[in-house]
Amino acid sequence: MAHHTLLVLGGYGFFGTRICHALAGNKHIHLLVAGRDAARARALTTQLGLPPRQALALDAHAPGLAPRLAELGVDTLIHTAGPFQGQDYRVACAAIDAGANYIDLADGRDFVAGIASLDARARQRGVFVTSGASSLPALSSAVVDRYLPRFRQLTSIRHGIASGARAPGLATMTGIFSYCGKPFQRLVAGRQARTHGWLDLQRHRFAAPVGRRLLGSCDVPDLALFPQRYPGLETVTFHAGFAGAPGHLFVWAAAQLVRLGLLRSLVPLAKPLHAISHWLEPLVSDKGAMFVTMQGVGLDGLPLTLTWQLLAAQNHGPHIPCGAAIALATQLASDGAPAPRGAMPCVGLLTVEAYLAALQGYDVTEVPA
């Protein structure tokens, strides 16, 4: 059987490294580690026991990306080089033009929802293109799909994530900070309501040993995608928070300054705060969690509330967003595994079981509803 050539763009980055570690040992995959820094790419291939030739210097935004991918014989490209807020679809288009499948870990609301604009182009080339192969919306939608048959009518989805001490990558933090204090719309009680990034402060109790965490409102793809996918929804909200309350409250206070017009943006703070988070890591909990709470009317006509949770310890939480890309790449590389054609957000493409199977070996525990 021929190998499936898989290129991970940003392969030595925060999420890219984790994806490469997971897929390097797959006998069906010929892994290429790519990014702007050839030395860092080579360092990772050495660590993975791969030949240096599988490390590539590749700039996502340089001209000539499509012919380069075609020259390399890339079957699937995984794009991890965020932040995706403000990016266009040039990488996805280059993959399509090269006849390669495309998967990204984008968390930008407009970016993920807009990927369907490439559907006709992807179908014409016979390739699979998906955006948002991450905790949101890939895992969150899988959870809702699993429990949807228990509802006669699902009316509310409230979900959130609390990180552990290991901060997300700088690109992810920059993406979050880009909308801190900025207004956005979400569906609440049947109407579009305005909120602001990282505000709407609330305290959520996760299962032990995570316990109570502060969370703030976030602008994520689910807010746009879920009302379309689940007719009859009246409320969709998402909140997230840092492991340490002081850090969360600092960003919350700074977001208030943006809301009041006293600061233009928190993006300039992303790099120094990311560095500080590394210094403080030994002092903060190594545990993180995700929850999805669904409310509506059960099959018996009575009110029904279900809450699903995922708990991570030993700072293994950052592996969770990588699960969808790992699972999808494994499926695409499998002999005879059918792949959808066209471009779509990453909703309804994986089951919870398939997603979590990609995280085996990590301290990640599911608490079913």
Side-chain angles (χ1 to χ4, degrees), residues 24-278:
N26 188 314
K27 64 182 181 180
H28 301 304
I29 289 175
H30 176 67
L31 180 65
L32 301 176
V33 180
R36 284 179 292 184
D37 190 329
R40 292 180 67 188
R42 283 195 299 272
L44 181 57
T45 55
T46 300
Q47 185 182 355
L48 296 173
L50 300 175
R53 65 178 179 274
Q54 290 177 227
L56 304 171
L58 205 63
D59 187 341
H61 302 293
L65 180 59
R68 181 70 173 130
L69 296 175
E71 175 192 337
L72 292 166
V74 173
D75 295 302
T76 296
L77 183 152
I78 298 179
H79 184 11
T80 72
F84 289 90
Q85 287 85 349
Q87 278 198 41
D88 58 24
Y89 296 120
R90 71 183 68 186
V91 177
C93 289
I96 294 170
D97 293 345
N101 303 309
Y102 168 91
I103 300 166
D104 70 44
L105 276 68
D107 56 357
R109 177 176 178 168
D110 294 337
F111 187 96
V112 174
I115 197 72
S117 64
L118 303 180
D119 186 60
R121 188 169 180 168
R123 287 180 182 276
Q124 186 175 10
R125 289 290 288 164
V127 295
F128 165 62
V129 172
T130 194
S131 181
S134 188
S135 306
L136 309 174
L139 180 54
S140 53
S141 66
V143 171
V144 177
D145 287 351
R146 176 201 270 180
Y147 294 108
L148 191 61
R150 292 168 62 173
F151 289 88
R152 178 181 297 177
Q153 179 60 59
L154 179 64
T155 57
S156 170
I157 301 172
R158 298 181 183 272
H159 54 322
I161 294 175
S163 70
R166 184 73 44 83
L170 179 58
T172 301
M173 190 173 283
T174 301
I176 295 170
F177 280 23
S178 70
Y179 60 77
C180 279
K182 304 288 181 68
F184 63 90
Q185 300 288 317
R186 61 184 182 184
L187 183 66
V188 176
R191 64 181 183 86
Q192 289 295 322
R194 180 174 171 173
T195 188
H196 295 78
W198 214 252
L199 301 185
D200 188 23
L201 186 68
Q202 54 184 246
R203 191 181 295 272
H204 182 82
R205 182 189 289 276
F206 291 93
V210 178
R212 289 187 178 274
R213 292 288 179 87
L214 291 175
L215 304 177
S217 55
C218 292
D219 191 14
V220 296
D222 300 34
L223 302 183
L225 298 172
F226 281 8
Q228 299 171 11
R229 183 169 177 81
Y230 308 108
L233 273 181
E234 298 173 358
T235 296
V236 184
T237 64
F238 178 81
H239 292 73
F242 297 135
H248 186 101
L249 289 171
F250 178 86
V251 177
W252 170 80
Q256 293 279 20
L257 297 179
V258 174
R259 183 182 68 84
L260 294 171
L262 301 176
L263 278 180
R264 180 176 295 178
S265 169
L266 296 193
V267 170
L269 297 179
K271 194 167 186 178
L273 288 179
H274 189 258
I276 291 170
S277 72
H278 282 290

